[in-house]
């Protein structure tokens, strides 16, 4: 009987073992082509952010990471990816982010990118809206959770304040299970991983790497045509002033159907009618001055400092007319930005474009909180020279104080 069962199920069992064993070995796959990397770099696809293959290849081939969230998807003709392509800038953009991505997600998901930014440059868009009372939303963290990147982070030598802080914050997202969860508990407690934990974590990491190498080339959103179409709306040559004039004209044409200067397609779909009435005064109690997000942002600063990465930070504004309508406190916004700037400058991250005072400029925002048209032109005026010109070697002075509850709850700039 046993022999019969073996004849029936034995080959299947052997095949499963061989397949599983094969997935634990490095796969001899070709490197992604330049066309595949170029397509992935602007796709904003979730799999690119969660994986290593495509974004790692892009960073290694000189693409500049633009790290942010939902604003990266606002691809009008003045978006950084469009301008870089149209005017053959000395850089290509690697867009890393999406709706709901904040510092903690970017810290976990871009581990293999940070390692490739040694003495290179990056652009980070910091949204004041990230700095809520709870900081990173657990459901958004779960959506962008990358066990591949997190297991790679755990396998490096872990210890110190930053690593313990990171492990605690990831555990607070309530999304990890099994071996990774147990390893995070060790790091959060300041303990080393056991030999068995490291052995099985390496196997899991290799399995995830192989999956990424096989599947990262498929099912990817393609924004190449979208960028090409946007680039066709721009003149072959243009000064900053000419771009600003054109952006003002396009913005006016696209937002003439509402009183907020918001793109009509967004306003009609998301705000018009009863929804608008319900939102009046709805942000009067919003407060971004106290948040664990300040500690999470510090994790990113540690990664940049470790690799001597030169970073241009951009702090976008809120649509001023929308802020007035919803009651968003102006003084709170200014105090929030003052706190963000203080944390950056105190540690010698001095390349900061604070755009918050510009929220009232005409055709500056494409919707309520996202840059568009003239706002992107102003971003370009800062980002382009930062990326194309040589910058002084940064000398960062990090302080673990910025991981503390005391700092997270401190209000800066209050009278």
């Amino acid at each position: 009987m046993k022999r019969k069962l073996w004849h029936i199920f034995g080959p299947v069992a052997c095949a499963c073992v061989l397949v599983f064993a094969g997935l634990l070995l490095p796969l001899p796959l070709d490197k992604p082509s330049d066309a595949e990397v170029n397509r992935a770099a602007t796709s904003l696809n979730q799999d690119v952010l969660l994986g290593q293959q495509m974004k790692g290849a892009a960073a290694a081939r000189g693409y500049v990471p633009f790290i942010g969230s939902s604003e990266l998807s606002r691809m009008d003709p003045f978006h950084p990816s469009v301008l870089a392509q149209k005017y053959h800038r000395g850089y290509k953009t690697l867009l890393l982010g999406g709706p709901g991505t904040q510092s903690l997600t970017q810290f976990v998901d871009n581990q293999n990118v940070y390692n490739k930014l040694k003495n290179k440059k990056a652009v980070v868009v910091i949204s004041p809206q990230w700095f809520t009372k709870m900081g990173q939303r657990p459901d958004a963290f779960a959506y962008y959770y990358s066990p591949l990147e997190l297991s790679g982070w755990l396998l490096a030598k872990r210890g110190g304040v930053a690593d313990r802080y990171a492990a605690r914050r990831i555990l607070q997202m309530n999304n990890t299970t099994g071996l990774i969860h147990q390893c995070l508990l060790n790091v959060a407690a300041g303990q080393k991983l056991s030999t068995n934990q490291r052995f099985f974590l390496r196997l899991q990491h290799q399995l995830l790497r192989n999956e990424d190498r096989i599947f990262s080339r498929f099912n990817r959103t393609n924004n190449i045509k979208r960028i090409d179409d946007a680039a066709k709306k721009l003149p072959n040559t243009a000064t900053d002033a000419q771009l600003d004039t054109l952006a003002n004209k396009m913005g006016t044409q696209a937002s003439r159907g509402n009183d907020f200067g918001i793109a009509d397609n967004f306003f009609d779909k998301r705000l018009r009618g009863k929804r608008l009435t319900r939102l009046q005064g709805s942000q009067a109690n919003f407060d971004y001055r106290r948040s664990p997000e300040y500690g999470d942002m510090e994790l990113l600063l540690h990664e940049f400092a470790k690799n001597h990465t030169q970073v241009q930070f951009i702090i976008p504004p809120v649509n001023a007319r929308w802020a007035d309508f919803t009651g968003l406190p102006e003084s709170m916004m200014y105090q929030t930005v003052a706190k963000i700037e203080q944390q950056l400058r105190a540690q010698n991250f001095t390349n900061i474009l604070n755009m918050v005072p510009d929220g009232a400029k005409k055709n500056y925002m494409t919707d309520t909180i996202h840059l568009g048209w003239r706002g992107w032109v102003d971003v370009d005026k800062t980002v382009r020279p930062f990326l194309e010109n040589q910058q002084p070697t940064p000398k960062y002075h990090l302080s673990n104080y910025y991981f503390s509850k005391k700092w997270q709850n401190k209000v800066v700039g209050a009278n």
Side-chain angles (χ1 to χ4, degrees):
M1 186 61 182
K2 290 183 179 178
R3 179 172 294 182
K4 282 187 176 180
L5 289 174
W6 171 251
H7 283 307
I8 295 172
F9 297 109
V12 176
C14 290
C16 291
V17 170
L18 288 173
V19 169
F20 183 72
L23 288 174
L24 293 178
L25 299 173
L27 296 178
L29 297 176
D30 293 335
K31 293 181 179 179
S33 67
D34 288 343
E36 287 175 319
V37 171
N38 191 50
R39 188 165 59 243
T42 54
S43 70
L44 289 170
N45 188 279
Q46 179 195 16
D47 291 340
V48 174
L49 187 60
L50 271 58
Q52 290 186 340
Q53 172 92 333
M54 290 300 175
K55 66 176 189 253
R61 296 179 195 184
Y63 284 70
V64 178
F66 279 59
I67 296 169
S69 50
S70 50
E71 68 283 333
L72 298 176
S73 66
R74 270 53 178 181
M75 290 183 177
D76 66 32
F78 309 95
H79 184 281
S81 298
V82 180
L83 293 178
Q85 175 186 302
K86 178 70 179 183
Y87 297 115
H88 309 290
R89 300 279 165 76
Y91 55 88
K92 293 183 177 180
T93 60
L94 169 59
L95 306 181
L96 298 173
T101 53
Q102 297 178 204
S103 298
L104 190 64
T105 306
Q106 296 286 8
F107 167 76
V108 172
D109 287 1
N110 292 327
Q111 279 298 313
N112 84 321
V113 171
Y114 299 129
N115 293 335
K116 294 177 174 60
L117 294 180
K118 195 172 184 62
N119 300 317
K120 295 184 179 178
K121 296 175 181 173
V123 177
V124 178
V125 183
I126 299 177
S127 295
Q129 292 77 23
W130 294 355
F131 296 82
T132 60
K133 182 179 180 181
M134 300 302 293
Q136 174 70 61
R137 286 178 50 168
D139 58 345
F141 184 86
Y143 182 76
Y144 294 106
Y145 169 57
S146 172
L148 170 60
E149 291 283 31
L150 186 51
S151 58
W153 178 78
L154 285 165
L155 281 169
K157 187 178 180 180
R158 291 295 156 214
V161 174
D163 288 343
R164 293 201 298 275
Y165 174 89
R168 288 197 298 271
R169 284 290 291 146
I170 295 167
L171 287 168
Q172 287 171 5
M173 296 296 109
N174 291 321
N175 189 61
T176 54
T177 58
L179 177 61
I180 287 180
H181 185 77
Q182 291 301 317
C183 292
L184 284 170
L185 289 173
N186 281 38
V187 176
Q191 300 171 352
K192 295 181 179 178
L193 305 190
S194 69
T195 302
N196 281 343
Q197 283 177 323
R198 297 189 70 82
F199 174 76
F200 287 108
L201 197 59
R202 284 195 191 94
L203 292 182
Q204 182 172 329
H205 184 65
Q206 185 59 55
L207 183 64
L208 292 168
R209 284 188 65 189
N210 285 341
E211 287 181 359
D212 178 48
R213 295 188 69 186
I214 293 172
F215 296 110
S216 63
R217 303 182 182 198
F218 303 109
N219 299 322
R220 186 166 303 107
T221 307
N222 187 349
N223 282 321
I224 296 295
K225 184 177 186 306
R226 192 176 170 192
I227 292 172
D228 287 344
D229 290 344
K232 291 175 183 175
K233 298 177 182 177
L234 298 174
N236 290 332
T237 60
T239 63
D240 288 343
Q242 289 169 329
L243 284 178
D244 186 69
T245 300
L246 182 59
N248 195 34
K249 181 180 178 182
M250 287 187 182
T252 299
Q253 290 174 342
S255 61
R256 60 182 58 174
N258 64 87
D259 296 329
F260 297 96
I262 292 172
D264 289 327
N265 56 354
F266 180 93
F267 187 86
D268 293 342
K269 184 178 180 181
R270 305 281 291 274
L271 299 173
R272 190 176 293 282
K274 293 181 180 178
R275 280 171 289 189
L276 183 64
T277 304
R278 287 197 297 269
L279 289 170
Q280 186 169 15
S282 61
Q283 298 182 353
N285 295 319
F286 279 22
D287 192 342
Y288 307 138
R289 298 170 298 177
R290 303 174 182 87
S291 172
E293 182 67 29
Y294 293 97
D296 297 351
M297 184 177 75
E298 188 66 22
L299 290 173
L300 298 185
L301 303 188
H302 276 238
E303 292 296 326
F304 294 134
K306 185 168 59 180
N307 294 291
H308 309 288
T309 306
Q310 299 170 22
V311 190
Q312 173 66 57
F313 292 93
I314 297 167
I315 306 174
V318 173
N319 182 317
R321 279 179 276 179
W322 181 253
D324 288 341
F325 180 75
T326 58
L328 185 70
E330 185 180 60
S331 59
M332 181 278 295
M333 282 294 293
Y334 278 94
Q335 289 167 8
T336 298
V337 175
K339 184 170 177 176
I340 295 171
E341 282 208 59
Q342 181 172 323
Q343 183 170 339
L344 294 174
R345 293 189 187 283
Q347 298 174 97
N348 213 29
F349 290 89
T350 56
N351 298 302
I352 304 168
L353 175 60
N354 176 11
M355 308 177 79
V356 169
D358 301 321
K361 290 184 177 177
K362 187 180 178 184
N363 297 319
Y364 213 74
M365 311 292 291
T366 192
D367 52 51
T368 57
I369 58 172
H370 297 116
L371 289 166
W373 310 302
R374 296 181 65 209
W376 280 133
V377 173
D378 270 4
V379 167
D380 187 59
K381 291 177 185 175
T382 295
V383 166
R384 180 187 179 187
F386 172 78
L387 294 180
E388 291 190 333
N389 300 331
Q390 188 172 357
Q391 304 297 326
T393 302
K395 294 181 180 179
Y396 299 124
H397 313 292
L398 297 181
S399 170
N400 289 333
Y401 167 63
Y402 296 104
F403 289 119
S404 70
K405 291 285 186 184
K406 183 178 181 181
W407 172 250
Q408 292 172 23
N409 293 321
K410 183 176 181 179
V411 176
V412 171
N415 293 324

